Amino acid sequence: MAESAAIFRFIRQLPGPERGARLLLCGLALAALAARPADAQNITRKMASQLLVQLNNSGPDTNRLHALIELGKFQVYKAGEVTRDLDSAITYLKQANELSNALHRVNDQHDAQSLLVVAYIERGNVKLGKALFANLIDDCRRTSDLQTEAEATLRFATCTRYIIKNYPETFAYYRQAAALYKKLGNQPKEVQVMEQAASLHMDFGELDVAEQAFTDVLRRYKQLKYPKLHYTYNSLASVNRLKGNFDKGLFYALQCLESMNRTQDTLSAAVFYGTLAQMYMELGHQSESIYWYRKSFEQWRQEKLPNFSLYNAASQLVRDLIAHRKTYEALGLITNLVQEIPTINNIQNGCVAQSYAYCYDDLKKYDLAERYYLQAVAHYKKSGGDFEMSQKVQQDVGKFYLARNDVRKAGFYLRKALSYNPQKNSLSTVKDIHYMLFKVDSIEGNYLSAIDHFRQHKALNDSIFTVTKTRKLAELEVRYATAKKVQQIQQQQNELARAQTTRNGILSGTVLLLGLLGLSYSQYRLKRRSNQLLEAKQLEINRKNESLERILAEKEILIRDKDSLLDEKEGLLDEKEWMIKEIHHRVKNNLQIISSLLHSQGVYLKDKAALSAIRESQNRVHVMALIHQKLYQSERLSTISMRAYIADIVEYLLTTFARQDTVQKQLAIAPVDLDVTLAVPLGLIINEVITNSLKYAFPGQQSGLIRIDFVVLDKKTYRLVMADDGVGLPPDLNPNRSRTLGMSLIRGLSKQLGGNLQISQANGVQISLTFAEEKIEQQPIVGV
């Protein structure tokens, strides 16, 4: 009767710091195992209330016995006030043990004793729990109760792993449990035990062993035709992320989502979204990472339960808001979350403290930021364990002190972060720590150590971001996005086909009905002809009435056909609009892939001029991609809001050149919507002018102002003015004759617009472009 896999639920409900630390050590692989819906029969509070009623209304029979065992199981595995719950569990299970003995129900007695072992050990009475377990196994063997022996062994293995922490014993009991399930012929349970052993190897940082073990588990599940492979895929994704094999990690993470969607088993969707989000974060794909972190956060938040993954996802959203200059919004997010779902252990408190530290650091309230960073360190230290977040917080504190030029403290925390077992932590994180220590040692004059740290940083970076791996990552992302689009289009085509079949059926039924009506009418006329002459006059009247009715019926049919044609036309127009939006979306995606490839190429360039050319080309591609993004996101398919478009271009360039803090922007853009044929060259002109200002107008991080005015002179004439208050153009540079790529583009695009381009150098540089739509209509724009 007892469910041995309910151990997974026991892991999730461990009290306070114990639960949090061990869950983090297990990583996402164990979280996925714990969430398998088929592994445990979770009893709800409503079911527990019904069992209490059954208990009060039953005598000393099997109904009472089963109610006692289920109530004991509920109290052992439920979250909340652990001491009181465990005392209640022990009371119920002792009564079940006595009643099963009186009723001679040996298997039920073994089930109750197996749960008592867990209750005593979790309560802190390890000696009594071990003794009871030994007696239970002897009695199971005496009575040939192989099923309970297997379940009790697996439960005890979990206790030795998470409470007693005797790991050699844990492996031994895992092997025993697997052998017992194999003897029972229960292959799915045998493979589940293998999966737990693989997750323990992952805890120890034995990543190669863990990967091989999870691969064997996946192979066995496939042989058994077990459909829910997403839990094992998620474990393999986590192992490969820690190893720095992001191409394999991303492959398994996407396979995980595909399996989850195919089986509709979304119970652990938040865990799987978090795995993919962390993968993209370490790859540097910020937008994709935040998309999946937001989905994970929303899933966890719906459960209304304190959970480290909930606060960790919130922390990533906080950092993204800060990066977009929305620090007060980020502060409100974490404050409201803690008020809505209060934390319950040190790991959760540490994660929340980190989020506050990020906010106050950006707000330049460094005393508060330092206090929260050190609080986070203290909370993680109290939780115990050598896990990723312990390393991450030390890295964050080191980075904070390095930014304050306090290299002594920065070096202390960064070396402490590096002291954690690197096999248990992401190589991407270790790589970044080595780079910061390179900076610390360089400032302190420890050049040999600095060179060694840089060498290790470079080696890890090269091993993670090889050209082959980068290409595989891009291929995986494109393949996954394409498969989703094909699936969506197929669904829409199926719906259209069903609608067409229904319409054809209605038309066929209508024709058949009209034929039957015609036949009936002919018979009616034949019958009327045989009537007496006295009825001839009445017959003539009836014929005229019927003729009028037929004319009205035909008129109604014509009206219905007209309405049907109008509906079909509207449907075709809607489908055309959808296809146009889809085209813009795909063009935007292709341009983003080009931008990513340019970025990947730039990683391996050492020449500054080449790197600058790559980055400028990437900015031009982004300007064009932004057009298509706005087109498919808006209801207008051919016009662009210049106010939003120009603001997005300027914000992107300021972020790209990291000049948000030193260069101010002043935008006065008229609320004008221009055709895409005008918006593209205008966007490229603005990109070139602002890029030149950010590169040359304010040398040495000099502060300054960039101003853009876009005004309507009359109905179809506009003026674009771009100016900066920088150092101006070099004395020997004639902008009208300059052959640089940027100036050539500006002049060429202005000529295509049929505009008047003027460049002046009063208090900096000012470029003015006046153009009219009428000239453009006479001379079409040619793409650059």
Side-chain angles (χ1 to χ4, degrees):
M1 180 176 177
E3 293 291 329
S4 64
I7 295 167
F8 292 107
R9 200 161 159 269
F10 158 70
I11 296 168
R12 299 175 77 194
Q13 308 302 348
L14 282 173
E18 183 66 39
R19 174 181 59 186
R22 300 315 305 169
L23 275 177
L24 266 176
L25 271 173
C26 293
L28 295 175
L30 184 57
L33 284 172
R36 288 185 185 272
D39 291 342
Q41 290 180 341
N42 296 336
I43 305 171
T44 64
R45 291 185 181 274
K46 183 177 180 180
M47 294 167 61
S49 299
Q50 294 172 351
L51 287 169
L52 283 172
V53 173
Q54 178 182 332
L55 189 66
N56 294 329
N57 297 332
S58 63
D61 54 17
T62 55
N63 289 332
R64 180 177 181 82
L65 173 59
H66 292 164
L68 286 168
I69 291 175
E70 292 302 316
L71 284 168
K73 185 190 300 183
F74 172 71
Q75 296 294 347
V76 166
Y77 295 137
K78 100 174 188 184
E81 299 166 311
V82 175
T83 301
R84 186 179 67 187
D85 293 339
L86 290 173
D87 289 342
S88 297
I90 291 169
T91 300
Y92 287 129
L93 294 170
K94 279 183 175 180
Q95 293 179 23
N97 185 42
E98 295 172 359
L99 182 56
S100 59
N101 185 42
L103 296 174
H104 305 291
R105 304 276 298 186
V106 176
N107 289 353
D108 288 331
Q109 186 176 26
H110 289 164
D111 191 15
Q113 290 174 354
S114 175
L115 290 165
L116 268 172
V117 170
V118 178
Y120 280 130
I121 293 176
E122 191 177 351
R123 186 70 175 80
N125 198 339
V126 176
K127 185 176 180 181
L128 179 57
K130 285 185 174 182
L132 181 58
F133 173 71
N135 293 333
L136 170 62
I137 296 300
D138 289 341
D139 203 55
C140 285
R141 292 172 180 172
R142 181 183 63 81
T143 58
S144 300
D145 185 3
L146 199 62
Q147 180 68 33
T148 307
E149 182 183 357
E151 293 172 354
T153 302
L154 181 54
R155 281 178 174 156
F156 191 72
T158 305
C159 290
T160 62
R161 178 176 178 177
Y162 294 103
I163 301 178
I164 302 173
K165 301 180 183 178
N166 188 330
Y167 304 116
E169 279 192 4
T170 303
F171 279 118
Y173 286 121
Y174 277 151
R175 287 192 294 271
Q176 289 180 27
L180 289 167
Y181 283 121
K182 184 176 182 180
K183 192 173 181 180
L184 285 165
N186 192 338
Q187 293 187 58
K189 292 297 297 185
E190 178 192 354
V191 179
Q192 277 186 19
V193 177
M194 292 170 55
E195 197 167 9
Q196 292 187 62
S199 73
L200 185 54
H201 284 298
M202 186 176 170
D203 290 355
F204 289 148
E206 299 169 352
L207 301 182
D208 292 334
V209 177
E211 183 180 9
Q212 183 58 53
F214 280 125
T215 303
D216 291 341
V217 167
L218 182 64
R219 176 182 54 80
R220 290 286 302 277
Y221 276 141
K222 287 181 176 179
Q223 288 176 348
L224 296 172
K225 299 189 184 306
Y226 181 70
K228 298 177 181 179
L229 302 176
H230 30 285
Y231 301 96
T232 311
Y233 281 135
N234 189 68
S235 300
L236 282 165
S238 299
V239 170
N240 280 283
R241 178 185 64 81
L242 292 172
K243 293 175 68 175
N245 295 333
F246 288 109
D247 51 342
K248 292 176 67 177
L250 185 59
F251 169 77
Y252 284 123
L254 296 177
Q255 287 288 98
C256 170
L257 293 189
E258 191 276 332
S259 175
M260 179 189 74
N261 293 329
R262 185 180 65 252
T263 59
Q264 296 297 304
D265 175 27
T266 58
L267 184 63
S268 300
V271 174
F272 304 148
Y273 295 155
T275 300
L276 191 56
Q278 192 168 5
M279 193 88 63
Y280 276 125
M281 181 64 72
E282 293 182 11
L283 279 167
H285 296 186
Q286 180 72 12
S287 59
E288 291 89 346
S289 174
I290 292 303
Y291 171 80
W292 292 108
Y293 268 127
R294 185 170 289 108
K295 287 178 70 71
S296 178
F297 174 74
E298 291 167 355
Q299 289 283 120
W300 284 121
R301 197 170 191 175
Q302 289 176 7
E303 293 190 10
K304 299 294 183 183
L305 293 173
N307 180 297
F308 168 76
S309 296
L310 166 70
Y311 303 109
N312 182 51
S315 183
Q316 301 303 328
L317 297 181
V318 162
R319 298 186 73 176
D320 184 65
L321 287 170
I322 292 172
H324 287 84
R325 318 304 296 171
K326 299 177 180 178
T327 308
Y328 285 105
E329 185 177 337
L331 199 58
L333 185 150
I334 194 66
T335 301
N336 293 335
L337 177 62
V338 174
Q339 289 175 353
E340 177 187 351
I341 308 175
T343 58
I344 62 171
N345 60 38
N346 280 309
I347 288 183
Q348 296 169 12
N349 289 331
C351 189
V352 169
Q354 275 182 282
S355 297
Y356 279 119
Y358 297 148
C359 294
Y360 289 120
D361 190 359
D362 188 70
L363 292 171
K364 297 181 173 53
K365 297 182 179 181
Y366 300 125
D367 291 342
L368 273 176
E370 182 179 26
R371 189 177 77 188
Y372 278 109
Y373 274 129
L374 297 179
Q375 281 184 15
V377 171
H379 283 306
Y380 286 127
K381 184 176 181 181
K382 288 178 184 177
S383 67
D386 179 9
F387 50 91
E388 277 193 88
M389 293 309 301
S390 298
Q391 184 186 56
K392 178 60 179 171
V393 70
Q394 304 287 350
Q395 179 191 9
D396 284 343
V397 177
K399 184 178 180 180
F400 170 78
Y401 283 123
L402 183 59
R404 311 276 83 73
N405 291 320
D406 192 340
V407 291
R408 184 182 62 81
K409 290 182 180 179
F412 172 79
Y413 284 102
L414 291 172
R415 289 183 177 89
K416 197 170 182 180
L418 205 58
S419 69
Y420 289 100
N421 187 347
Q423 293 301 314
K424 297 183 184 180
N425 300 290
S426 167
L427 291 183
S428 178
T429 303
V430 175
K431 165 185 70 71
D432 294 338
I433 295 172
H434 277 300
Y435 186 72
M436 285 190 283
L437 280 171
F438 156 71
K439 291 183 177 181
V440 168
D441 287 340
S442 297
I443 294 172
E444 291 183 329
N446 299 326
Y447 299 116
L448 291 177
S449 177
I451 292 170
D452 182 61
H453 283 301
F454 185 79
R455 178 184 58 77
Q456 294 186 62
H457 159 77
K458 188 68 170 60
L460 289 172
N461 188 73
D462 291 345
S463 70
I464 294 172
F465 299 105
T466 63
V467 174
T468 302
K469 287 184 178 180
T470 303
R471 185 174 65 251
K472 286 182 179 179
L473 288 169
E475 290 174 353
L476 283 169
E477 290 176 310
V478 171
R479 191 188 312 164
Y480 180 70
T482 303
K484 285 187 68 178
K485 289 296 180 185
V486 169
Q487 185 180 12
Q488 291 172 0
I489 292 171
Q490 185 63 45
Q491 289 175 352
Q492 291 169 351
Q493 289 176 342
N494 291 338
E495 291 173 0
L496 289 172
R498 285 195 294 270
Q500 182 70 30
T501 302
T502 302
R503 184 172 59 185
N504 291 341
I506 293 172
L507 290 173
S508 299
T510 303
V511 170
L512 180 60
L513 180 61
L514 289 173
L516 291 173
L517 288 172
L519 180 60
S520 299
Y521 178 66
S522 297
Q523 292 176 347
Y524 172 74
R525 291 186 63 186
L526 289 172
K527 183 178 179 180
R528 291 296 293 171
R529 287 188 187 126
S530 64
N531 287 345
Q532 299 175 1
L533 294 174
L534 293 174
E535 298 176 353
K537 189 173 183 180
Q538 183 64 42
L539 179 61
E540 187 67 22
I541 295 171
N542 289 339
R543 287 177 179 174
K544 289 181 179 180
N545 289 338
E546 290 164 2
S547 178
L548 288 172
E549 289 175 0
R550 186 167 62 254
I551 292 171
L552 290 173
E554 290 173 354
K555 183 177 180 181
E556 289 176 358
I557 291 172
L558 289 172
I559 292 173
R560 285 199 300 269
D561 288 345
K562 180 180 179 181
D563 291 341
S564 177
L565 289 171
L566 288 174
D567 292 339
E568 184 175 358
K569 181 178 179 181
E570 290 177 0
L572 290 172
L573 288 174
D574 291 340
E575 184 177 354
K576 178 183 177 182
E577 181 177 340
W578 173 81
M579 289 296 292
I580 291 173
K581 287 189 175 182
E582 183 66 15
I583 289 169
H584 284 304
H585 194 178
R586 293 192 180 195
V587 171
K588 189 271 291 185
N589 287 344
N590 289 336
L591 289 172
Q592 281 191 336
I593 291 173
I594 294 171
S595 180
S596 297
L597 291 173
L598 289 171
H599 174 75
S600 300
Q601 183 64 42
V603 171
Y604 302 96
L605 293 176
K606 303 301 181 184
D607 184 77
K608 291 184 178 179
L611 186 59
S612 176
I614 287 288
R615 186 167 64 178
E616 289 176 11
S617 297
Q618 190 177 1
N619 290 345
R620 293 171 186 131
V621 171
H622 175 82
V623 168
M624 292 185 286
L626 192 59
I627 284 282
H628 294 282
Q629 177 178 329
K630 290 188 174 297
L631 284 173
Y632 81 75
Q633 287 179 345
S634 71
E635 295 302 322
R636 300 184 299 272
L637 298 178
S638 60
T639 61
I640 297 295
S641 170
M642 295 306 295
R643 176 174 289 175
Y645 181 45
I646 293 174
D648 286 350
I649 293 173
V650 175
E651 185 64 29
Y652 173 80
L653 291 174
L654 288 173
T655 303
T656 301
F657 286 91
R659 299 301 300 268
Q660 307 99 307
D661 296 330
T662 55
V663 177
Q664 302 298 315
K665 61 182 180 181
Q666 180 180 319
L667 306 180
I669 314 299
V672 176
D673 293 343
L674 291 185
D675 190 90
V676 65
T677 57
L678 302 180
V680 170
L682 282 174
L684 290 171
I685 290 172
I686 294 170
N687 177 73
E688 297 302 324
V689 173
I690 301 306
T691 296
N692 285 338
S693 294
L694 293 175
K695 286 175 63 177
Y696 306 115
F698 313 106
Q701 295 296 313
Q702 174 183 326
S703 61
L705 174 70
I706 288 177
R707 176 173 58 87
I708 298 180
D709 297 335
F710 187 77
V711 297
V712 181
L713 299 180
D714 56 38
K715 187 175 181 180
K716 289 191 175 183
T717 304
Y718 309 92
R719 176 175 294 155
L720 173 66
V721 178
M722 299 157 287
D724 64 62
D725 60 353
V727 299
L729 298 174
D732 57 346
L733 176 65
N734 185 344
N736 295 319
R737 295 183 179 179
S738 173
R739 295 184 179 274
T740 63
L741 176 59
M743 290 304 300
S744 298
L745 281 172
I746 293 170
R747 289 197 301 269
L749 292 168
S750 300
K751 184 177 180 181
Q752 289 183 9
L753 288 169
N756 179 19
L757 180 69
Q758 295 182 348
I759 303 175
S760 64
Q761 301 189 57
N763 298 323
V765 175
Q766 176 173 302
I767 297 177
S768 173
L769 174 65
T770 303
F771 64 95
E773 284 189 48
E774 294 177 351
K775 292 183 179 181
I776 295 164
E777 291 171 356
Q778 296 169 3
Q779 181 179 357
I781 297 295
V782 179
V784 178

